[in-house]
Amino acid sequence: LCSAADLQKDLGEMVKKDKVVVFMKGTPAQPMCGFSNAVVQILRMHGVDDYAAYNVLEDQDLRQGVKDFSNWPTIPQVYFNGEFVGGCDILLQMHQNGDLVEELKKLGIQS
Amino acid sequence: PSRPVEKAIRTKLTNSLKPDHLEVHNESHMHAVPPGSESHFRVLVVSSQFEGLPLIQRHRLVNEALKEELSSCVHALAIQAKTPEQWGSNPS
């Protein structure tokens, strides 16, 4: 119970440490799931290369912990400036309707 | 074949969101799972309850309705959540 509480506290710090944070299956170089791969590709299209990616397949506690943290049941999960943005579908729709460019601008990232 | 998970998804989204239009697609066959699996789904939900809500809140409503399935058998759920107006101008 104690370590679960610690993890929630750590997650609060992990999502704030970098402007863009992704929890995914696999790594940006080797995504292990189509949805995680879609997030990597969308970020790449917008020239976002410098982001923190955490592989939930390497850590079962992290896999469950991040779902509890965001109250979101699926992986991948994307955070901008410490705020939960959504999963693959939301990022894709933000890419399609232009919102993603605006949000990245707010982070100081020109796509 | 009886598709209990697909049926449950349909029933729960119908009851909670009163959709004008609902599509539930089992895409499990596109993944490395045994034939007949019910693990990967795509849903298109058109509901007036989404009006005025940002995307993330709409998705949260869908996730909430399918909480039980998502914590057990359903590994992946792709969501499109539209208002009737959005559906009217782009029915895909």
Side-chain angles (χ1 to χ4, degrees):
Chain A
L1 202 71
C2 186
S3 77
D6 286 347
L7 177 59
Q8 292 301 309
K9 189 166 153 279
D10 290 347
L11 280 165
E13 285 161 16
M14 283 158 79
V15 299
K16 289 196 192 88
K17 211 165 66 183
D18 301 270
K19 280 184 188 173
V20 178
V21 176
V22 178
F23 295 90
M24 61 180 290
K25 294 182 180 174
T27 62
Q30 194 166 27
M32 299 300 284
C33 153
F35 295 97
S36 290
N37 183 42
V39 164
V40 169
Q41 298 304 331
I42 292 167
L43 291 175
R44 184 170 297 156
M45 258 187 274
H46 288 265
V48 187
D49 298 311
D50 193 21
Y51 59 93
Y54 296 97
N55 182 359
V56 302
L57 295 181
E58 283 184 347
D59 185 340
Q60 285 305 311
D61 292 337
L62 179 65
R63 186 175 181 167
Q64 185 56 47
V66 73
K67 292 178 184 181
D68 296 338
F69 180 74
S70 56
N71 186 29
W72 191 263
T74 51
I75 306 289
Q77 299 192 4
V78 180
Y79 290 78
F80 290 165
N81 261 351
E83 295 277 332
F84 180 56
V85 174
C88 164
D89 297 322
I90 288 181
L91 204 68
L92 182 61
Q93 285 163 56
M94 287 171 69
H95 163 67
Q96 288 164 342
N97 68 19
D99 286 353
L100 185 55
V101 173
E102 293 306 310
E103 290 301 316
L104 291 174
K105 250 185 224 163
K106 286 185 208 163
L107 303 181
I109 301 171
Q110 288 287 349
S111 58
Chain B
S2 75
R3 294 191 170 278
V5 180
E6 187 174 328
K7 208 175 285 175
I9 290 174
R10 203 173 286 281
T11 304
K12 288 180 182 181
L13 290 179
T14 301
N15 291 344
S16 62
L17 292 167
K18 309 275 181 283
D20 290 16
H21 181 80
L22 173 66
E23 292 177 24
V24 179
H25 299 280
N26 182 353
E27 298 187 330
S28 307
H29 63 278
M30 296 159 67
H31 301 268
V33 293
S37 291
E38 294 191 288
S39 53
H40 295 67
F41 285 90
R42 177 168 64 87
V43 297
L44 168 62
V45 189
V46 180
S47 169
S48 53
Q49 290 185 28
F50 293 144
E51 271 160 31
L53 291 185
L55 221 38
I56 189 150
Q57 297 300 341
R58 299 181 191 186
H59 283 228
R60 283 200 190 279
L61 289 175
V62 173
N63 287 335
E64 181 62 28
L66 304 179
K67 194 162 58 179
E68 206 181 313
E69 286 69 25
L70 282 165
S71 67
S72 53
C73 45
V74 173
H75 296 283
L77 177 69
I79 300 170
Q80 283 174 290
K82 295 177 185 257
T83 62
E85 195 187 347
Q86 289 173 324
W87 165 248
S89 62
N90 180 16
S92 62

